[in-house]
Amino acid sequence: MKSRKNFVLVIFGASGSLAKHKIFPAIYKMIKREYEAKQYMVLGFARTHKTDEEFREEFRESLDLSETDNIQGVLKNIFYCSGDYSNKQDYKKLKKIIDGYEKNHFGANTKSVRCFYLAIPPVVFEQVVENIGLSGLKEDRAHIENRLIIEKPFGRDLVTAKALETVLMNYFKESEVYRIDHYLGKETVQNLLIFRFVNKFIEPLFNSRYISNVQITSAESVGVENRAGYFDHAGIVRDMIQPHVLQMLSLIAMERPTSFSAKAIKDEKVKVLNLIRPVSMNNDTINIVRAQYTSGVIRGHKVRSYREEEGIGVNSQTETYAALKFYIDNDRWFGIPFFVRAGKRMSKKSTVINIQFKDLPALQTFSKCTPIPSNILTIKIQPEESIFIKMFTKKSGTDFDIKPSQLTFFQSCDDCLDAYSRLINDALIGDNTLFIRYDEIDIAWQIVDPILLSFEKEKLPRLDYYASGSDGPARADIMLREAGYSWIDY
């Protein structure tokens, strides 16, 4: 168990939506549970001018507090510094504040952590990292450990991802960089490795002999909201499939790691990502579907089309939905399709992995049901977290008729830290198991770059449409029917 140290956590972009809706609540939960006995400083940095007290009030307002919560002990350790991301003098001002706090509260040569969280637009990632390094904010003293937490997107293609990595490595070591994917912080995703590799009756079934197909769905009922400027230049493949969905696929498909260490797990994820076959662009079968939402109804409310959203062009070709069929060329998975889909303005919010086992032959001796339905292992990641198997048992009082049953293996606990709290805490203690290594990003871009190039240059496949509140375009259903399957409920 890695020890917890005194820390300074600097949040670049402290006036932004991500900070207010995700990071502030996560920090509060983490501190109340793990750091009340430690000295710490949370320091917001952004262009907006405000006082410490104004920033503390914003922090407090972001929290879902009960009447028994005593937040004053946390608020006294929260500060704010206004500045411009491009102004080197503002970084020196930031350094002076941090140096003074550490001197007055941590004591000389006390082991501590300086953690820089980039909750900022990706266009200023490189500029901010460079200024952190050149200003001396990143200390190279033996008693201070440095961390850099960076949010996606990690580039917009392979070339820009490599350029960003070059800047990161100019000022930070790979071991100091924490590329955050909040999906990996969810309890069910972490539990997936234990579920697969510790239970002896599960792991032998994870192969082409027993499994017919794997489906990964990441659906949102919301539209682009206040992210139109970013999303219209990114699309759902860059926003969801490259960073999140391929991470989930690698965890499902990876081989057993030599240990549960960060390096061993990441090594196996990289190996399986390297074995994903390039997606065929031929016209014989449908391997890729891209689509955009039109107007529709969600939970009884009419919603507008993507092109009617504020900040979106009337002729935008950006995909808000994508479905792809992947194959992994190794002995374990050869010939088994991995269907992945991600979309906005779908019927509900859900992130789920469905693993469908092969059908049994019709056994008239044991059941009147012909054919017997297949078993399905479901890993629900959000909004609820659980792992369960759809199986079949005998109906009471009948002559071997069957009925569907559900065997639940795991449900999320109320006492667990949420994903962001867990990941920020892991970064502070130096555990990078649940963060993304650069070679994972590199390979993921190699997988999706040809697909994105086809979207942008060749306009292939064609852009389909789906009504808001639906489960996606009809062409995605056809893609599965061609392979002999159908989408499983998400």
Side-chain angles (χ1 to χ4, degrees):
M1 184 72 176
K2 296 191 177 184
S3 62
R4 287 158 178 76
K5 304 178 180 69
N6 298 338
F7 69 83
V8 172
L9 175 58
V10 184
I11 306 167
F12 290 90
S15 293
S17 176
L18 175 64
K20 292 175 182 176
H21 293 116
K22 297 291 185 182
I23 299 173
F24 294 168
I27 290 171
Y28 178 69
K29 290 176 186 175
M30 179 199 71
I31 288 172
K32 294 295 286 184
R33 177 161 165 165
E34 306 288 349
Y35 287 92
E36 285 196 302
K38 294 291 182 182
Q39 294 288 331
Y40 59 87
M41 177 193 206
V42 177
L43 178 57
F45 183 89
R47 295 187 180 97
T48 308
H49 288 277
K50 64 187 75 170
T51 65
D52 289 342
E53 287 305 318
E54 288 171 332
F55 182 58
R56 288 167 182 164
E57 181 59 20
E58 285 184 4
F59 188 95
R60 188 193 65 77
E61 289 176 352
S62 74
L63 308 178
D64 183 16
L65 298 172
S66 69
E67 293 181 359
T68 60
D69 280 320
N70 180 9
I71 193 175
Q72 295 307 314
V74 175
L75 289 180
K76 71 179 183 180
N77 297 305
I78 293 176
F79 300 87
Y80 184 81
C81 176
S82 61
D84 191 281
Y85 298 132
S86 63
N87 189 335
K88 292 179 173 56
Q89 293 304 314
D90 289 335
Y91 289 80
K92 291 181 179 178
K93 180 172 63 173
L94 197 60
K95 175 175 167 51
K96 185 176 180 180
I97 294 171
I98 295 171
D99 288 345
Y101 192 91
E102 289 175 338
K103 180 180 179 181
N104 293 330
H105 294 83
F106 292 178
N109 299 322
T110 300
K111 286 190 176 295
S112 61
V113 174
R114 283 191 183 184
C115 185
F116 309 100
Y117 197 134
L118 304 192
I120 53 178
V123 293
V124 291
F125 279 173
E126 296 171 22
Q127 183 180 71
V128 171
V129 169
E130 185 176 83
N131 282 326
I132 289 172
L134 294 176
S135 66
L137 273 172
K138 178 182 181 293
E139 285 281 7
D140 290 322
R141 287 185 282 173
H143 65 285
I144 296 180
E145 299 175 12
N146 297 285
R147 312 271 194 267
L148 179 74
I149 302 177
I150 184 168
E151 288 269 354
K152 75 169 182 72
F154 311 115
R156 62 174 281 109
D157 54 25
L158 183 58
V159 171
T160 53
K162 286 182 180 294
L164 173 60
E165 182 66 8
T166 298
V167 173
L168 294 178
M169 292 303 102
N170 282 341
Y171 300 100
F172 288 86
K173 302 171 187 175
E174 173 65 28
S175 60
E176 295 173 330
V177 178
Y178 291 74
R179 302 172 189 85
I180 196 167
D181 179 350
H182 67 278
Y183 279 68
L184 300 184
K186 291 185 177 293
E187 195 70 22
T188 306
V189 176
Q190 300 166 45
N191 196 55
L192 178 57
L193 295 178
I194 301 297
F195 180 79
R196 268 197 68 187
F197 297 119
V198 173
N199 295 298
K200 289 184 178 293
F201 70 100
I202 292 294
E203 173 57 14
L205 304 180
F206 267 59
N207 57 61
S208 59
R209 182 179 178 185
Y210 297 103
I211 290 174
S212 68
N213 73 100
V214 177
Q215 300 180 20
I216 303 175
T217 298
S218 182
E220 296 178 290
S221 58
V222 298
V224 293
E225 297 182 294
N226 60 353
R227 300 173 67 230
Y230 160 73
F231 188 87
D232 201 44
H233 288 90
I236 203 73
V237 172
R238 284 190 177 94
D239 190 50
M240 292 299 298
I241 290 178
Q242 188 273 343
H244 298 313
V245 174
L246 285 176
Q247 281 290 315
M248 291 186 282
L249 187 153
S250 67
L251 288 169
I252 282 292
M254 63 185 272
E255 296 295 322
R256 180 192 295 273
T258 55
S259 69
F260 285 122
S261 70
K263 182 179 184 305
I265 292 170
K266 294 174 196 289
D267 285 348
E268 294 303 330
K269 288 164 67 182
V270 166
K271 287 178 186 177
V272 79
L273 287 171
N274 263 318
L275 293 171
I276 293 178
R277 186 189 308 171
V279 179
S280 173
M281 303 287 183
N282 66 48
N283 295 320
D284 297 334
T285 59
I286 301 173
N287 297 308
I288 305 173
V289 176
R290 67 184 183 111
Q292 189 182 93
Y293 64 79
T294 60
S295 59
V297 177
I298 297 180
R299 292 188 294 275
H301 297 283
K302 291 183 179 180
V303 295
R304 56 192 173 185
S305 70
Y306 178 72
R307 292 176 183 178
E308 293 172 321
E309 300 277 17
E310 185 176 348
I312 303 298
V314 294
N315 297 313
S316 174
Q317 295 292 300
T318 300
E319 82 285 354
T320 63
Y321 174 101
L324 299 98
K325 179 171 59 178
F326 290 118
Y327 288 96
I328 298 171
D329 288 335
N330 62 6
D331 289 342
R332 180 186 291 269
W333 298 111
F334 189 80
I336 302 303
F338 283 71
F339 299 105
V340 306
R341 59 177 169 173
K344 291 186 174 295
R345 284 282 188 232
M346 295 178 71
S347 62
K348 59 186 174 183
K349 176 180 179 178
S350 180
T351 300
V352 61
I353 302 168
N354 281 305
I355 300 167
Q356 186 170 13
F357 290 85
K358 290 186 175 179
D359 290 340
L360 287 171
L363 300 177
Q364 294 284 7
T365 305
F366 294 102
S367 176
K368 297 176 183 178
C369 184
T370 307
I372 296 174
S374 55
N375 299 114
I376 298 172
L377 170 62
T378 297
I379 300 107
K380 287 200 168 187
I381 297 167
Q382 67 175 6
E384 69 274 11
E385 298 186 54
S386 59
I387 299 176
F388 58 86
I389 288 181
K390 177 185 175 183
M391 52 191 297
F392 299 91
T393 56
K394 176 184 170 294
K395 289 182 180 178
S396 300
T398 65
D399 188 15
F400 289 100
D401 283 347
I402 66 170
K403 65 176 181 179
S405 300
Q406 182 171 297
L407 180 60
T408 301
F409 282 83
F410 173 81
Q411 290 183 326
S412 59
C413 62
D414 295 332
D415 193 40
C416 298
L417 287 173
D418 62 31
Y420 267 100
S421 298
R422 167 69 189 272
L423 291 169
I424 294 171
N425 181 61
D426 282 359
L428 291 173
I429 65 175
D431 184 349
N432 62 14
T433 304
L434 302 177
F435 294 83
I436 304 172
R437 203 167 64 188
Y438 174 69
D439 51 354
E440 298 176 68
I441 296 169
D442 188 291
I443 297 164
W445 280 122
Q446 291 180 48
I447 293 168
V448 304
D449 264 6
I451 297 166
L452 293 168
L453 186 63
S454 180
F455 288 0
E456 294 161 7
K457 301 294 185 184
E458 302 174 37
K459 307 301 180 187
L460 293 173
R462 74 189 192 207
L463 184 67
D464 288 301
Y465 299 92
Y466 62 102
S468 292
S470 70
D471 291 332
R475 192 170 169 82
D477 297 330
I478 296 171
M479 181 174 76
L480 267 74
R481 283 204 302 269
E482 283 185 348
Y485 306 108
S486 59
W487 289 110
I488 300 166
D489 182 40
Y490 62 92

